[in-house]
Structure formats: structure tokens, C-alpha cells
Amino acid sequence: MAAELHQRTLSELAAGLEAGDFSSVELTEALLARVADHDGELNAFITVTAEQALAAARAADEARAAGNAGVLGGLPLVHKDIFCTRDVLTTCGSRMLENFVSPYNATVVDRLAGAGAVILGKTNMDEFAMGSSNETSYYGPVRNPWHLEYSPGGSSGGSAAAVAARLAPAATGTDTGGSIRQPAALTGTVGLKPTYGRVSRYGMIAFASSLDQAGVITRSSADAALLLGVMAGFDERDSTSIDHPVPDYTAALSESLDGLRIGVVKQHFDDGLDAATGAAVREALAVLEANGAKLVDVDLPNIDLSVPTYYVVAPAECSSNLSRFDGVRFGHRADNPEDLFDLYCRSRGEGFGAEVKRRIMTGTYALSAGYYDAYYLKAQQVRHLIADDFKSAFEKVDLIAGPTSPTPAFRLGDKVDDPITMYLNDIYTVGANLAGLPGVSTPCGFVDGLPVGLHLVGPHWGEEVLIRCAHNYEQLTDWHRACPEDFS
Amino acid sequence: MSWEVVIGLEIHTQLATQSKIFSGASTAYGAEPNTQACLVDLGYPGVLPVLNEDVVRMAAMFGLAVNASVAPRSVFARKNYFYPDLPKGYQISQYELPIVEHGELFITAADGNEKRIGITRAHLEEDAGKSTHEGLGSFSGIDLNRAGTPLLEIVSEPDLRSAKEAVAYMRKIHSIVRYLGISDGNMQEGSFRCDANVSMRPRGQQEFGTRTELKNLNSFRFVEKAINFEIERQIDVIEDGGEVVQETRLYDANKDETRPMRSKEEANDYRYFPDPDLLPVEIDAAYVEALRETLPELPDAKRHRFIDDYGIRADDADILTASRALGDFYEEVVAATAGEPQGVANFVVGDFMGALNKAGLGIEESPVSAAALAGLLDRIKDQTISGKIAKEVFEAMWSGEGSADEIIAAKGLKQITDSSAIEAIVDKVIEANPGQVAEYKAGKEKLIGYFVGQVMKETGGKANPGQVNQVLKQKLS
Amino acid sequence: MSLDKEQVQQIAVLARLRLDDDEFAETVDKLSRIVDFVDQLSQTDTTGVVPMAHPLDVAQRLRPDVVTEPDDRDHVQENAPSTQDGLYLVPKVIE
């Protein structure tokens, strides 16, 4: 029986625990064994917290026996290593935090634990979430379960690979420019990034504060709805967390596609899109249309500027956010510094990898005297234009659909030398971050054996319409059930 | 050539909150190093700032008190630079949109007239930590207890024209923030400190000269001395054919001089930008109006009222309104005593404040309450004791020997007002001093003082001086 | 190259990043490409457009002035590379 537990979705596992088919300890042991067997190939984990997981599983089983099971009572999850976890190593994929044991829990971590979730470990990621291939991690690249020579995408690549390879039924992730949705698309999983302000950022190590948002990677939209209901909500420790009511997201699962107006953006199907990927996405749109949705052409005239805008705003914020890593209170400190300046320059020079340093420098430049207006201010103005474009579009449609990523997964090493090519991976996803909109990627086919994602973007607080649409699509197709052969 | 100095002040005043501006750590002074620096103050990965509501209220109150506009929308920005006492590598401050703008206050200039001093802006920011160097060898130690303490930085227009004006302005601000209860103004603990921008220009010239910035002046005396030193230094530089260099200078109180601060490794480029972890602060008109209702009477208004209502001298009114507590104390005494307000002012400014200063006590710590003092002044008014005896009684009250009445009774200090008793003593004095009596009668009327003195001596100072005078004149005529 | 070595050196100093020689050359090249790429923003007319610092148009929330954070120094300083008597140590700062 235990052999097939890993194939079940979170919702199926919840039902099994509830029915008493198996215990959380059995489930946790089974998954920890899978992690031990398979993570050598994938490198999806930075830290495995077996002991804590088993203790939490026992506690969850006891709670259930006492009739006090939480919403997620005994369900195993993994956290992206960007979330601070009390008394557990929290590296953010960086050498800078190689020995950093967080003294506190992120709000997301507390909420999920409070609902009874069991944390199996912390997943690999691009360093400080800066990357789209997981190759910037100090702990080595993560491999795509669909093809081990390929990237799982990034920055939440470890979370996506762990879920795709059935090492965990669900994972947390963070999305600053596409870091949940793009790896979900590249690994055949479901990735949900909520509205900015929906989920607390407290305890999530900041990359770009006005863009970062926590979300989930799962094997179905129903699972995403289940987790989001626990994670979402106001947090008094985050000034940008919004006190907006949290609906029952699972209620959206029972609604049909009837009357749903889906916007199709012309710019999302232009030259940059791989032809076979485009065909898979168009086929998905046809399925939605055939089942009650209405396709409407919409225009986002400034969307082509979203990547350059993003690559000013995000580095500017990160250049300042990462100044706290100075070798004084925590983190890497250079040996025998000559003076204060040397302490700073070497601790940071040694502690950060090349991509992080590049982004810090790009942002430093964009904010510096004489360049602020031309770069930072200009980008914030263009950001406003892009947000306004979305606003106009959502007057006509309920959501916007298109490809998540311009290509399926690419070979490890293929894009590392050219930052611009790498940045263009985010072309369809960054717009939602700039405008603070929710987005979801759900599997919609394969190209040469590699998964393709369908990307849905909704208006602010529009998570329900995304879940409704993605869930219906998943009921009509089976792409999200596909499992990489070596990990069945 | 005749030179004119142009001075602008930037005053940093610590706001009197319980917790920090962006965290729930305590602001109490003097704790063990880093025991009041929580994760937010330490700039830990993942933590976020949340703004303290009292900080906003206090800044807005200050704005109203100096007739400024309180911004309906203000924005926190990050000032980026690396320094060990700055844990996040940036200071959260307000840059383009401060919470308070366009204020003013009035000082008394050298010619005795009121002079308007413009207040450009006042903005909220977080304080940095503190470095110590003692006993740590080749290291400095960083204590971040002070990091995140709320500050209001008050920036004046360059309207000040002498060190004395600068001090008068600084005292005025000091008195306003204490009246409002938004700062304890404690300069020893660094709760109230100032930077001065000083430049010289030939009298009559419109453009400003090159300025220097004098840092971290933490007493009124140092402000005056540092500015005066800097005025002389700049004049010397210019008159020797040199040019004043725009720079930051530190005042060294031991040597009474200013010297350039050690230059940083590079020119500062603070890369200000709106803090994405904080949203714009919005203050609506209703909030401002409600706050206006809570404003206490301010020093200028109180001073005018004291002069008009109590008829006391302007210099006494200045002293009595310098702090809200002193003004309140004075009014409590006036209300409780039958004595004249000017008489009360004399006693409070003289004996009472003298005793406080001597003991190094604040008015709240005074061993003599306003009611007790009123009880003493009543006894002068009803002629139970003389003003001179009152000093003696006050000293005994100060040492805790009881109320004025108890001390008067216990020590037998009650004034002798029984005319037959006074007449008997006068007769005795006249009899004992025949020579002086003769001289007096011969026209040396100044000797009346001698006779009064003799009578007082006989009575241990307790005879009513007016009565003694009257009886003497009668008997000697 | 839109950025020269000297500019990149200045940025590295401002950002307090030591780069070794190979890394430095690569950085000059890649940063220049990034700057060229984002330069396309300059072609957009943004006259009168209000810069957008936040994705949601919301005001700052205020918290009550209450002390909520207990002292956790010893636990927190387990992460500190160098401390003495509760102080964080850095190479001597002279002012």
C-alpha cells in the first residue's frame, strides 16, 4: 500500500488519512524513503528534516486520534529554502547563509504547521531566488525529473522537481517574476502565485519586496486551493499584507466554465514563442472554449516592456534588500579582514554568487545619482502603464490565458552565459508580478517528452476564478496526472 | 569687511514612544548591549517593518504646534549606505514627501523684537546603533539597542544670524517638544541633538557662502561655542585668501574647536528610493482636526497669558514657561494662595528654583509641593511671617520638617503683631541707645534703620517690620 | 560596451562587492548587455505617468505603540560570526 502513497495528490492523501487508511507516520516514512532514494539524482533538497518530520507526523496522528486533526493534519510538504524555519538551516540557496539557522518561523511556515502539515525538508532554489533555471544555487543545480540533463526551471526549481518526482505531494514556493509558475510549467506541476498582499511575506527572505509573493506548487489545482486557504490572510507583521477576506477556495472547484470570458493576448503568441509550445497552448484554449468558456482577444500594448521593466525594478530593490548581508550579525564573514571596507567587500564578494552580484550591481547602478530618473523612475512609470493595461483588459475578461514559458525545459548550461536569453524566460510571467496579479500554471501537454504549461492570470483577488478555470481544465484533460517514468 | 553668518539647524529629537518606530522592541535607555534589538532592528533576513502609530501622531502634533502643514500623504524611503551601526545597510527615512512641511516659530532676537524662523520640514526616521571602542583591541563593538528608535528630524530655514539666535531657536524647539510630550528632550542620553549648517557672506550680499555642517551637537552650550568657533574659522580662511570647503566637521568640546570628519572611502551616493516594505502614510483632515483639539497650550501662548492675566514681569514669564511642568506648578501655586502672582513668581523663580537646581532635581521630584508652597506664601500674605522668615521656613519645608504652619508653630516664628508687645520692645531699644536717639532727633533720619535692626534682633526677626517702623517713628518724634 | 571598467569598479565599491579579475571582466560585459537591454525603456513616452512603487494602491497600516519583542539576544547571536560581551565585533571604526 505504501508504495503507491507517493502517487496520490494532497487532497487524496487527506481523504486517506481521514479514512484511517494509513497514518501520517507511515506516509512520512514512505516519502522520506523516496527522498533518500531519489534525491541524489535530483538535488531537489538542501536540507531533509527527517527527525522533525516524524515528530510532527506522530503529533498529527495523535491529534487525529483525539479528534483534533487540522485542515492539513499529517500531510507532508516541503518548503522552499527561502522561508525562515526556526532552528533549521535556512540558506536561500546561497553560500552567504551556509550556516544560518533561523531563530524564527516565517508566517507561512507557522500557518501550515498550525494546520498540521508535516515538513519533510527545505528545497533547493536559485540563489536568493535570482534565476530561472536553478543553476545559480550554491548547492548545485536541480535536475528535471522528466529529463535529468534538463533544468527544472527556477527559482523554485527544487520545490517543482520534488513535487513532479513524487518526493512530496506539495511544496511552497515564491514568485518574483515567474519563479513558481515557470518551474511548474517545466516540470508538469501546478504552480499558483497569489495576488500581491494575499500571503504574508514575513519570514520569506526578500528578493524584490514589491514583487515577491509566496505560493504553492502542487499536482492539482484542488491541492493548490486547499493550501492557499491555509496560507492566505492578513499578517500584522507585514505592512504589505492586506486585510482582505479569505474565501473558501475549494468552493470554486465545483463551478463550471460556463460563461467564463478568457482573454487571449496577441503578444503572447508572437515570434518569441516556440511553435510546438504554442500549439499545445492553443489546443488547451480550444478545450476551454469547447467546454463553455468564451475566448476574447485582448491587447496589452506595453507588455513587451515587462521584462526590461522587471530587470530594473527587481535589481533595484534587491540591491538594497541584500545590503544587510554584511558579515556582521549573521551570514558569511571573510577571514582576517584588514578593515571594515575589506570586511564588507570580501564577505559579500565571497558569500554571493555571480548572478546575485550582477543583480545587486545592476540595481545599484539603476538607483545611483544621475541614473535614477532614466532607469528606476522610468521603470516605475512603465510599470504603471503595464498595470493599467491589465486593468483595462479585466474590464472585458475574467482572466487571461496563454503560455507560461516560451519554451519547454532547456538543457542545463544552455542559457547560463547569456543573461538576456535567461531573462526572457520570464516574458509571459513578469507582467503579473509588476501588476500584483494572481497567476497559475497548469500542465497542458508535452513537447519532445517535456511538459508545457498553460498560464492563467486573473485580476486582483481573482484566485477563485483561476482555480475554477484550471481545475475544470484538469478534469477535462489528464496532463497533470502524467508522471516522469523514472519516478513512478 | 563686515561679515554675516547664515545658520540653519537640523535637530534630531527622539520621540517618546514605548516601542521602536518599526518594531515592538523597547526604547528604554541603558539596557545591556543588544538586549533591546529584536530581529527587525537587527535587519534579520525576512523580517519586515510595521509603523508605530504614536510616531505618526507625535509628528503631526509637532506640525500643528509650529503652524506647519501635516502632509495627507508621506512616504518612507531608504537611504542606502554601509556602516556597522546601520544593520540593514539602509536607513528608513522620509525624503521627497516628509510628514511635516512649511512651519515657523518665533524667537526673541538680540534687539528684543520677535523674529520669525522658518521650519522647512520635519520628517520621521529611525536612529542607528552605537559603536564602542574601549577594551576591544583592534575591534569596535556594535550595540544595536538604539537602532530603530524613532526620530523626528526638524530642519530649519537658513534664517538664523548668530550663534545666540541658533540657541534661542533650539531652546524653543526643545520647549515645544517637551510641552507636547512627544520627547523627553534629554540631551545627555542623546534624545535631542543637532547639526548646524554654517556659512559666511559679506553683509548685504544675497547669495549664500559655502557651508560646513557641524555634527552631533548635544548641548545648548556646545551649539553656541561650536558655531562661534566656526564663524571665526571661516572668516580667517576667507580673509587669508582661502576658500571654505564644503565638508562635515565635528565639534571637539575639550579643545573647543571644530575639525573635519575623517573622510569616508568614497563620496556618498545614498540611492534614495521609496521603501517597498512600507506603504504611503495617509493622514486625513479629520484626524488632524481631532489632534488639534488635544494640543496643549504652547510656550508662547502661555507666556503671553502669564504676562496679561497675572501681570508678572516678562523675564519671569520667560522662565516660568520654559517647561510645561514649571508653568503648571506656578499656576497651581497662584490658584492655591492668597499671595500676589508677582510675589509667587519671585519666590518660585528665586528660592524654589534655586533649591531645585542646587539639589539637581526636576520639578516633579520637588520635596515641596505646589500646595505646600502656597501654604507658605499665604503666611507672608497674612503677615504671619515676614519674607525673610519665609526663606527659613522654606528651607525647613525642603528638609521635610513639615508644613509651613507646623514649622512656624514649632519654631515659634510667628510674627509679633501685638502693638503693646512691639511698643515695649521699642521702648527698651530707645532706652538702651540714648546717643543714637539724640543724633536721630538732630536730623540723622537714616538711623531709623539701625533702630529697626535692633528691634528685629530683640525679637529674633519676628516683629512685623511695617509695624516696627511706624511705632519707632511715633516714639522718636 | 555601455559601461566601462571604471564605472563598474565604482558600482562594485558602492555595493561593497569584491570581484576577482576574471569575474570583473565578465561583469563588465554582462552588465553592459543588461544595461543595453533595459535601455529600451527610454523609447517609451511616460510623460505625466505617476511612478508605481506598489502593486496595490493601499495606505500604510499602523501598529499600536506596545512593546511586544522579548530579549532573545543569546539565541540570535548564535548566528553571529564574532561577538564579545553581547556586542557585534567589526574591525575598528575610527571617526
Side-chain angles (χ1 to χ4, degrees):
Chain A
M1 181 181 69
E4 61 173 16
L5 286 180
H6 64 269
Q7 283 293 358
R8 303 192 193 182
T9 66
L10 200 67
S11 310
E12 290 161 357
L13 292 169
L17 285 168
E18 179 65 31
D21 295 347
F22 48 87
S23 70
S24 176
V25 170
E26 288 172 293
L27 174 59
T28 302
E29 282 173 344
L31 290 171
L32 286 170
R34 266 188 81 74
V35 172
D37 284 350
H38 293 284
D39 197 47
E41 302 163 80
L42 293 173
N43 196 28
F45 284 76
I46 291 174
T47 305
V48 178
T49 52
E51 237 173 82
Q52 294 99 315
L54 288 168
R58 275 192 292 274
D61 285 337
E62 282 163 22
R64 187 175 294 281
N68 297 325
V71 183
L72 304 176
L75 290 172
L77 299 177
V78 289
H79 283 306
K80 183 177 183 178
D81 208 16
I82 198 168
F83 290 100
C84 286
T85 41
R86 188 178 164 95
D87 299 333
V88 172
L89 187 68
T90 299
T91 69
C92 220
S94 181
R95 180 185 184 197
M96 180 60 86
L97 295 178
E98 197 176 4
N99 298 309
F100 179 71
V101 177
S102 173
Y104 77 107
N105 272 341
T107 299
V108 161
V109 170
D110 267 342
R111 288 207 175 164
L112 291 170
V118 169
I119 307 309
L120 302 176
K122 310 283 299 284
T123 59
N124 201 347
M125 55 182 286
D126 278 300
E127 185 180 7
F128 284 100
M130 298 176 198
S132 308
S133 68
N134 229 293
E135 290 165 290
T136 72
S137 171
Y138 176 67
Y139 305 91
V142 178
R143 293 173 182 277
N144 193 321
W146 292 94
H147 195 311
L148 295 177
E149 299 303 310
Y150 281 68
S151 162
S155 65
S156 312
S159 285
V163 174
R166 276 60 177 167
L167 306 188
T172 56
T174 61
D175 190 314
T176 305
S179 280
I180 286 175
R181 295 160 289 159
Q182 184 254 18
L186 270 46
T187 58
T189 52
V190 174
L192 172 67
K193 171 204 116 64
T195 305
Y196 183 85
R198 175 77 291 181
V199 175
S200 170
R201 292 190 298 115
Y202 185 78
M204 186 177 120
I205 299 176
F207 160 15
S209 307
S210 78
L211 303 163
D212 295 342
Q213 181 62 203
V216 291
I217 294 176
T218 55
R219 291 212 301 276
S220 74
S221 295
D223 289 358
L226 179 65
L227 287 178
L228 182 62
V230 174
M231 288 164 64
F234 175 68
D235 180 7
E236 60 181 19
R237 289 186 181 272
D238 175 2
S239 294
T240 62
S241 153
I242 310 297
D243 196 357
H244 188 87
V246 180
D248 175 8
Y249 292 110
T250 59
L253 301 172
S254 54
E255 291 179 51
S256 76
L257 290 171
D258 282 344
L260 202 62
R261 297 168 302 165
I262 298 179
V264 179
V265 181
K266 162 173 94 263
Q267 290 93 337
H268 284 169
F269 292 91
D270 62 12
D271 297 349
L273 180 63
D274 164 66
T277 300
V281 173
R282 282 183 199 285
E283 175 56 29
L285 294 176
V287 169
L288 293 170
E289 193 178 27
N291 287 277
K294 191 174 165 230
L295 300 184
V296 180
D297 284 336
V298 292
D299 191 20
L300 299 175
N302 295 290
I303 197 69
D304 288 345
L305 293 169
S306 60
V307 176
T309 300
Y310 176 86
Y311 278 94
V312 172
V313 174
E317 293 183 7
C318 100
S319 71
S320 175
N321 281 338
L322 269 60
S323 293
R324 66 191 60 202
F325 300 102
D326 59 3
V328 178
R329 295 163 317 286
F330 44 76
H332 178 76
R333 181 186 181 105
D335 289 333
N336 307 315
E338 283 168 31
D339 55 20
L340 186 66
F341 185 75
D342 186 48
L343 169 74
Y344 286 151
C345 293
R346 279 202 295 125
S347 298
R348 292 165 58 78
E350 295 163 5
F352 293 137
E355 180 63 23
V356 170
K357 282 187 254 190
R358 236 168 0 245
R359 297 213 193 175
I360 290 173
M361 291 178 72
T362 306
T364 301
Y365 178 70
L367 290 173
S368 63
Y371 299 98
Y372 180 87
D373 288 1
Y375 292 104
Y376 180 76
L377 205 63
K378 185 82 182 179
Q380 294 288 44
Q381 289 176 307
V382 177
R383 181 180 188 179
H384 208 157
L385 296 177
I386 293 167
D388 283 350
D389 288 352
F390 276 108
K391 212 173 179 180
S392 307
F394 286 122
E395 285 167 10
K396 294 198 290 182
V397 297
D398 301 308
L399 57 90
I400 288 168
T404 307
S405 180
T407 64
F410 43 89
R411 271 182 189 277
L412 289 167
D414 263 11
K415 297 191 183 183
V416 282
D417 290 333
D418 183 7
I420 307 305
T421 315
M422 190 66 97
Y423 293 175
L424 288 171
N425 275 299
D426 300 335
I427 189 160
Y428 306 129
T429 48
V430 288
N433 298 84
L434 290 168
L437 304 170
V440 67
S441 177
T442 190
C444 72
F446 287 87
V447 171
D448 300 332
L450 294 167
V452 173
L454 170 67
H455 186 219
L456 308 176
V457 174
H460 289 139
W461 316 110
E463 285 81 0
E464 287 163 289
V465 76
L466 299 183
I467 290 166
R468 170 184 163 198
C469 182
H471 177 71
N472 272 284
Y473 178 75
E474 290 160 20
Q475 303 314 299
L476 294 165
T477 62
D478 258 341
W479 303 117
H480 71 293
R481 293 192 197 279
C483 176
E485 215 171 296
D486 298 342
F487 299 91
S488 59
Chain B
M1 184 176 304
S2 168
W3 296 97
E4 180 179 57
V5 64
V6 174
I7 305 163
L9 294 189
E10 293 168 12
I11 294 174
H12 293 84
T13 185
Q14 179 180 327
L15 297 175
T17 54
Q18 299 300 307
S19 66
K20 292 187 178 171
I21 180 167
F22 298 118
S23 85
S26 169
T27 55
Y29 180 79
E32 282 295 301
N34 292 308
T35 55
Q36 285 179 179
C38 72
L39 297 177
V40 172
D41 309 319
L42 293 171
Y44 245 64
V47 297
L48 296 167
V50 183
L51 184 60
N52 184 332
E53 67 182 359
D54 269 12
V55 162
V56 173
R57 179 181 60 82
M58 289 175 179
M61 277 178 88
F62 176 79
L64 293 174
V66 296
N67 197 25
S69 48
V70 176
R73 188 169 180 276
S74 60
V75 168
F76 282 100
R78 293 183 182 178
K79 179 182 184 180
N80 294 284
Y81 64 98
F82 285 90
Y83 209 66
D85 64 11
L86 188 71
K88 299 184 295 299
Y90 57 84
Q91 179 195 30
I92 306 177
S93 181
Q94 294 187 310
Y95 184 56
E96 281 181 341
L97 296 171
I99 189 162
V100 167
E101 276 187 296
H102 314 304
E104 62 180 10
L105 57 70
F106 294 86
I107 60 169
T108 307
D111 60 8
N113 290 325
E114 284 206 326
K115 178 174 175 181
R116 179 191 180 277
I117 307 299
I119 294 172
T120 316
R121 59 186 277 162
H123 66 254
L124 289 167
E125 62 185 28
E126 56 178 346
D127 207 345
K130 200 173 73 181
S131 314
T132 54
H133 317 289
E134 302 304 315
L136 295 169
S138 58
F139 292 96
S140 292
I142 310 299
D143 174 10
L144 296 169
N145 281 348
R146 207 178 64 188
T149 299
L151 298 179
L152 187 67
E153 179 174 336
I154 302 158
V155 182
S156 84
E157 291 288 314
D159 288 346
L160 301 159
R161 293 292 174 271
S162 70
K164 283 218 175 331
E165 285 189 12
V167 171
Y169 166 83
M170 192 174 170
R171 281 191 189 279
K172 200 45 137 332
I173 295 278
H174 190 246
S175 139
I176 289 171
V177 297
R178 288 167 71 231
Y179 261 66
L180 294 172
I182 64 173
S183 176
D184 64 14
N186 188 322
M187 297 171 96
Q188 282 79 42
E189 292 175 8
S191 305
F192 193 85
R193 53 193 200 261
C194 139
D195 302 338
N197 289 302
V198 179
S199 66
M200 304 304 301
R201 65 182 173 190
R203 202 168 290 283
Q205 178 181 301
Q206 281 301 305
E207 317 79 274
F208 296 135
T210 304
R211 65 186 168 85
T212 58
E213 185 179 7
L214 312 181
K215 276 278 185 201
N216 248 342
L217 306 169
N218 61 0
S219 85
F220 295 120
R221 202 162 56 91
F222 290 169
V223 168
E224 184 164 355
K225 292 179 89 165
I227 291 174
N228 280 331
F229 175 88
E230 187 60 14
I231 290 171
E232 293 308 314
R233 190 191 68 84
Q234 290 192 16
I235 291 175
D236 287 350
V237 168
I238 300 166
E239 289 187 341
D240 287 351
E243 277 183 15
V244 173
V245 181
Q246 183 163 346
E247 64 186 355
T248 301
R249 301 174 70 88
L250 273 183
Y251 176 68
D252 183 334
N254 296 324
K255 295 183 183 159
D256 186 23
E257 62 174 33
T258 68
R259 57 182 157 75
M261 271 173 78
R262 202 166 150 270
S263 63
K264 301 265 165 80
E265 279 95 353
E266 29 122 14
N268 285 323
D269 180 348
Y270 292 126
R271 291 160 282 141
Y272 282 100
F273 75 108
D275 190 329
D277 287 332
L278 291 160
L279 300 162
V281 179
E282 290 181 3
I283 299 177
D284 62 29
Y287 175 88
V288 173
E289 285 321 303
L291 200 58
R292 199 188 295 279
E293 297 301 314
T294 72
L295 281 190
E297 185 184 33
L298 291 166
D300 280 354
K302 196 181 285 275
R303 176 175 175 274
H304 285 128
R305 185 168 60 79
F306 278 19
I307 294 169
D308 294 348
D309 291 5
Y310 299 131
I312 62 173
R313 290 199 313 270
D315 56 345
D316 287 336
D318 272 343
I319 296 169
L320 291 172
T321 56
S323 88
R324 190 170 156 186
L326 183 58
D328 288 349
F329 184 88
Y330 170 73
E331 290 202 280
E332 258 184 80
V333 180
V334 169
T337 180
E340 300 302 323
Q342 182 62 57
V344 177
N346 293 345
F347 204 95
V348 170
V349 170
D351 299 81
F352 179 72
M353 288 183 67
L356 280 181
N357 290 342
K358 196 173 158 196
L361 295 178
I363 193 149
E364 340 31 55
E365 301 160 301
S366 166
V368 177
S369 70
L373 189 59
L376 172 63
L377 297 174
D378 279 345
R379 297 292 84 83
I380 303 178
K381 174 69 180 177
D382 68 14
Q383 306 203 336
T384 304
I385 53 171
S386 65
K388 196 167 168 205
I389 291 292
K391 292 177 191 296
E392 189 185 334
V393 176
F394 177 71
E395 278 175 31
M397 290 168 75
W398 190 267
S399 340
E401 292 173 33
S403 71
D405 287 337
E406 287 162 0
I407 292 163
I408 291 166
K411 298 198 169 184
L413 296 172
K414 191 171 186 315
Q415 196 159 244
I416 300 163
T417 50
D418 175 352
S419 28
S420 58
I422 292 177
E423 277 179 36
I425 298 164
V426 167
D427 288 343
K428 194 176 156 196
V429 167
I430 288 174
E431 207 182 298
N433 295 284
Q436 281 83 350
V437 172
E439 280 181 56
Y440 178 86
K441 288 193 169 163
K444 200 170 175 189
E445 291 187 4
K446 275 200 283 182
L447 274 171
I448 189 81
Y450 171 77
F451 294 115
V452 172
Q454 291 300 307
V455 175
M456 293 312 260
K457 198 173 166 189
E458 283 290 320
T459 61
K462 288 184 287 184
N464 179 306
Q467 257 178 307
V468 171
N469 239 299
Q470 206 189 343
V471 172
L472 270 169
K473 281 187 178 157
Q474 206 185 314
K475 298 247 175 193
L476 289 168
S477 62
Chain C
M1 290 286 170
S2 50
L3 294 180
D4 58 32
K5 284 183 183 170
E6 200 182 320
Q7 275 177 301
V8 173
Q9 185 53 41
Q10 276 174 1
I11 298 167
V13 167
L14 211 50
R16 298 291 189 276
L17 291 170
R18 170 81 44 88
L19 305 176
D20 61 37
D21 292 348
D22 290 351
E23 210 179 357
F24 187 77
E26 190 191 330
T27 302
V28 174
D29 169 47
K30 287 192 174 172
L31 269 192
S32 291
R33 281 151 74 182
I34 294 166
V35 168
D36 290 344
F37 174 69
V38 300
D39 263 339
Q40 60 182 292
L41 293 176
S42 65
Q43 291 156 23
T44 312
D45 182 9
T46 52
T47 316
V49 178
V50 178
M52 179 173 151
H54 285 284
L56 299 173
D57 191 13
V58 185
Q60 176 64 35
R61 185 168 38 78
L62 305 175
R63 71 174 171 82
D65 178 28
V66 178
V67 175
T68 53
E69 302 300 305
D71 170 33
D72 193 25
R73 182 184 76 183
D74 296 344
H75 182 213
V76 164
Q77 288 195 342
E78 286 169 15
N79 279 310
S82 178
T83 58
Q84 186 178 324
D85 304 331
L87 297 163
Y88 295 95
L89 297 189
V90 296
K92 194 154 204 151
V93 191
I94 314 138
E95 197 52 81

